[in-house]
Amino acid sequence: MSFKGRTVLALVLLTMMGSVLITLSVADQWDRETKQASSGSVAAAADGGGQFELKKEELAKLNAVMELIETKYYEEVDREELVDGAVEGIMSALKDPYSVYMEEETATHFSESIEGSFSGIGAEVTSENGKIVIVSPIKGSPAEQAGLHAKDILMSVNGESMEGLSLQEAVMKIRGPKGTKVKLEVQRSGFSEPVQIALIRDDIDIETVYATLGPDGIGVIEIRQFSLNTAKRFKEELEKLEREGMTGLVLDVRNNPGGVLPVVVEIAQTMMKEGATVVQVEGRDGDRKGTLAEGGEKKPYPIAVLTNKGSASASEILASSLQEASGAKVVGERSFGKGTVQVSYNKALGDGSLIKMTIAKWLTPKGNWIHEKGVEPDIEVAPPEMYSVARMTKEVTLKRDQLNESIRSAQIMLEGLGYKPNRDDGYFSIDTEEAVRKFQSERNLPVTGEIDDNTALALEKAVIDWLRDKDNDVQLQKAIETVSRK
């Protein structure tokens, strides 16, 4: 069954992060009422009396197709696969990237991902107009370490083209056991040639909250996703920082693709005045229901929320709620832009499979819908070009008078490291050669002025070390400056 021509969200199973990270599961009374009504309708249909069951002519049409396939198709087919394909077709007709059908195995991994337990390369993907697109790599994951970026378009996996494949078919090309290698080819904005990326599949760190306190009294809490234990861990770290005398707080949700709605509400309301609106949910009838903060307080210290293009879904709820209802500043880049709510229905299907379906849109405290627009930062800060540079090919030695994208990447790296190639157009000039010689000399490499495998590896390692230095993180430094009482 092909999903070509529609946009669907990837259930990345063992190769990438579970799609719960970009899914908001509602757990308030409004949703329970919706689930009860839906479950009742499905049950009634199963008993033959439901108003939503297939009409006689509709059922006859499906039976006719099934009979034709089983009697006339040129080879035998699996009946269960046909039924699954029919359900997938119904869901695809919604033309909603976040409403999907999951077979039993997929549904099992989806449930595991909600609990924060998964393995793979650590990236969220979606399908847009027939193209497989990266939503966000997870911090510390193989995807991030290998240089995969939000908005990258996946062109091939291990040499096999992704053109024309559905999202699930593409995922099947990527998935594989921990410790195995996968080669990706991606199209990246600003690069004329495809970018080659090699990754080793691994377990993804299930820790979601990381906190530090600087000597200036500024606390930084990084939230990598919103899974079931994230609110508890956040409160523990926040209380610890407050006991240690924190005077300002930065919440870093860059490349956080989302998570479970009640979790982000629980986190946001700890920093909001009692009774303030955290988020609003609007159903198909236009009726809005707001979730109000309970048991929290507006903090006496300033707060900044750090976002980028990979901050999606629940991350955007946190940023917008604190921005609009608690006076926090959003710093960084405009976020991804996902403003819908999904609920998973599994018991109604009865075979371990499930439907994850969009049931509503969520709105900010002031009633803004950020879908496909994102949360606009109060203070816009773009990352250095080093953060988006593509890795270099190791297949050929780069030398004087050549022109290609790998040389452009090398020039960006050299410039960022302070070696002054004086251009970044991909032409290997005399200045580029001198910059390479200087780099090689300082790294105790053979001084050839050419970029062979060893020089390329050393250059990329130097860039990784540079990226890990928080002093080079201009977005983070601006956020810290924003909440500093100085």
Side-chain angles (χ1 to χ4, degrees):
M1 175 68 188
S2 174
F3 294 164
K4 187 176 180 181
R6 66 174 288 239
T7 305
V8 281
L9 177 69
L11 283 219
V12 211
L13 309 181
L14 296 181
T15 54
M16 296 185 176
M17 301 207 60
S19 66
V20 64
L21 300 182
I22 199 94
T23 301
L24 294 176
S25 299
V26 183
D28 56 17
Q29 181 61 36
W30 178 83
D31 176 60
R32 286 196 292 272
E33 293 170 357
T34 301
K35 282 185 176 180
Q36 290 168 0
S38 175
S39 297
S41 299
V42 174
D47 292 337
Q51 59 176 312
F52 304 117
E53 65 183 350
L54 290 174
K55 297 177 182 178
K56 184 179 297 185
E57 59 269 24
E58 293 170 335
L59 189 58
K61 184 176 182 178
L62 292 178
N63 283 332
V65 173
M66 184 72 77
E67 181 179 356
L68 284 172
I69 292 174
E70 292 195 326
T71 60
K72 304 297 184 182
Y73 191 63
Y74 81 103
E75 63 181 9
E76 290 188 6
V77 294
D78 187 309
R79 186 179 180 88
E80 185 176 345
E81 289 184 4
L82 291 178
V83 174
D84 286 336
V87 179
E88 289 172 354
I90 291 173
M91 298 305 295
S92 72
L94 297 176
K95 295 181 172 58
D96 173 25
Y98 307 110
S99 294
V100 294
Y101 168 70
M102 307 178 207
E103 299 172 17
E104 182 177 6
E105 182 182 2
T106 304
T108 299
H109 292 299
F110 176 80
S111 300
E112 290 173 352
S113 70
I114 293 177
E115 299 170 0
S117 173
F118 40 81
S119 61
I121 69 170
E124 187 72 41
V125 300
T126 187
S127 177
E128 297 179 359
N129 300 318
K131 296 181 179 180
I132 310 301
V133 180
I134 302 298
V135 173
S136 177
I138 304 304
K139 289 187 177 180
S141 68
E144 187 199 44
Q145 293 171 0
L148 204 59
H149 299 145
K151 306 297 184 181
D152 280 348
I153 298 174
L154 186 59
M155 299 177 65
S156 70
V157 176
N158 292 331
E160 297 186 43
S161 174
M162 295 292 99
E163 185 176 358
L165 296 186
S166 71
L167 196 51
Q168 291 188 5
E169 289 169 337
V171 167
M172 291 301 292
K173 299 290 185 183
I174 302 169
R175 65 183 300 185
K178 171 185 175 182
T180 57
K181 187 175 183 179
V182 58
K183 293 182 179 180
L184 308 179
E185 184 179 61
V186 302
Q187 178 183 329
R188 179 169 297 167
S189 177
F191 289 81
S192 60
E193 296 180 5
V195 176
Q196 310 294 327
I197 296 177
L199 309 95
I200 303 296
R201 302 177 179 98
D202 199 0
D203 291 332
I204 307 303
D205 190 353
I206 62 173
E207 179 57 83
T208 60
V209 179
Y210 295 82
T212 58
L213 183 65
D216 53 1
I218 304 302
V220 177
I221 299 181
E222 178 186 338
I223 307 175
R224 297 187 175 182
Q225 69 179 82
F226 295 90
S227 58
L228 294 182
N229 69 336
T230 302
K232 177 177 179 292
R233 288 286 300 115
F234 176 82
K235 291 178 181 179
E236 292 172 349
E237 295 297 340
L238 180 62
E239 291 171 1
K240 180 181 177 182
L241 293 178
E242 289 178 336
R243 288 195 303 268
E244 294 175 352
M246 179 176 63
T247 59
L249 175 63
V250 174
L251 300 174
D252 186 353
V253 291
R254 290 175 297 177
N255 290 334
N256 179 331
V260 184
L261 178 57
V263 172
V264 69
V265 168
E266 187 176 353
I267 289 173
Q269 69 183 0
T270 63
M271 297 168 284
M272 301 175 70
K273 182 180 178 180
E274 183 90 14
T277 299
V278 180
V279 65
Q280 301 182 66
V281 176
E282 181 179 310
R284 65 190 294 175
D285 58 0
D287 185 31
R288 294 185 184 181
K289 294 187 181 297
T291 299
L292 306 182
E294 298 178 355
E297 60 178 355
K298 184 175 181 180
K299 297 299 183 180
Y301 46 77
I303 297 174
V305 184
L306 191 51
T307 62
N308 67 2
K309 296 174 183 177
S311 304
S313 196
S315 296
E316 295 172 294
I317 288 182
L318 181 65
S320 62
S321 63
L322 296 181
Q323 180 187 49
E324 293 186 0
S326 196
K329 298 295 184 183
V330 176
V331 180
E333 297 175 286
R334 186 182 292 272
S335 60
F336 182 82
K338 177 184 178 292
T340 54
V341 180
Q342 285 73 44
V343 165
S344 299
Y345 299 92
N346 57 349
K347 293 182 180 179
L349 302 183
D351 62 353
S353 61
L354 65 80
I355 292 290
K356 181 171 70 67
M357 184 169 61
T358 299
I359 60 166
K361 59 174 101 171
W362 69 262
L363 310 171
T364 69
K366 293 183 178 180
N368 296 315
W369 195 34
I370 59 88
H371 195 62
E372 297 183 351
K373 295 181 290 186
V375 177
E376 183 177 358
D378 299 290
I379 303 171
E380 188 168 359
V381 184
E385 199 169 5
M386 288 268 274
Y387 279 81
S388 59
V389 66
R391 301 188 72 172
M392 294 176 290
T393 180
K394 310 295 191 304
E395 297 175 358
V396 297
T397 296
L398 307 177
K399 60 183 69 175
R400 176 92 72 83
D401 290 333
Q402 290 180 344
L403 176 67
N404 59 49
E405 291 292 348
S406 285
I407 294 171
R408 180 172 182 260
S409 293
Q411 289 168 333
I412 294 172
M413 294 178 186
L414 289 165
E415 180 68 32
L417 295 171
Y419 290 99
K420 305 301 180 185
N422 296 326
R423 65 194 305 154
D424 61 359
D425 58 0
Y427 174 69
F428 206 120
S429 62
I430 294 176
D431 287 344
T432 301
E433 183 178 79
E434 287 303 313
V436 172
R437 287 180 180 274
K438 185 176 180 181
F439 174 81
Q440 290 171 330
S441 177
E442 294 183 3
R443 301 283 167 159
N444 296 318
L445 295 167
V447 181
T448 63
E450 300 177 352
I451 304 178
D452 59 6
D453 286 358
N454 290 333
T455 299
L457 288 171
L459 187 54
E460 289 184 347
K461 182 181 183 304
V463 169
I464 292 173
D465 292 340
W466 187 92
L467 293 174
R468 287 175 177 169
D469 187 342
K470 294 186 182 299
D471 290 339
N472 296 322
D473 189 341
V474 295
Q475 292 177 322
L476 176 60
Q477 294 307 316
K478 186 63 178 180
I480 291 174
E481 176 188 327
T482 301
V483 299
S484 175
R485 294 198 181 278
K486 296 180 182 179

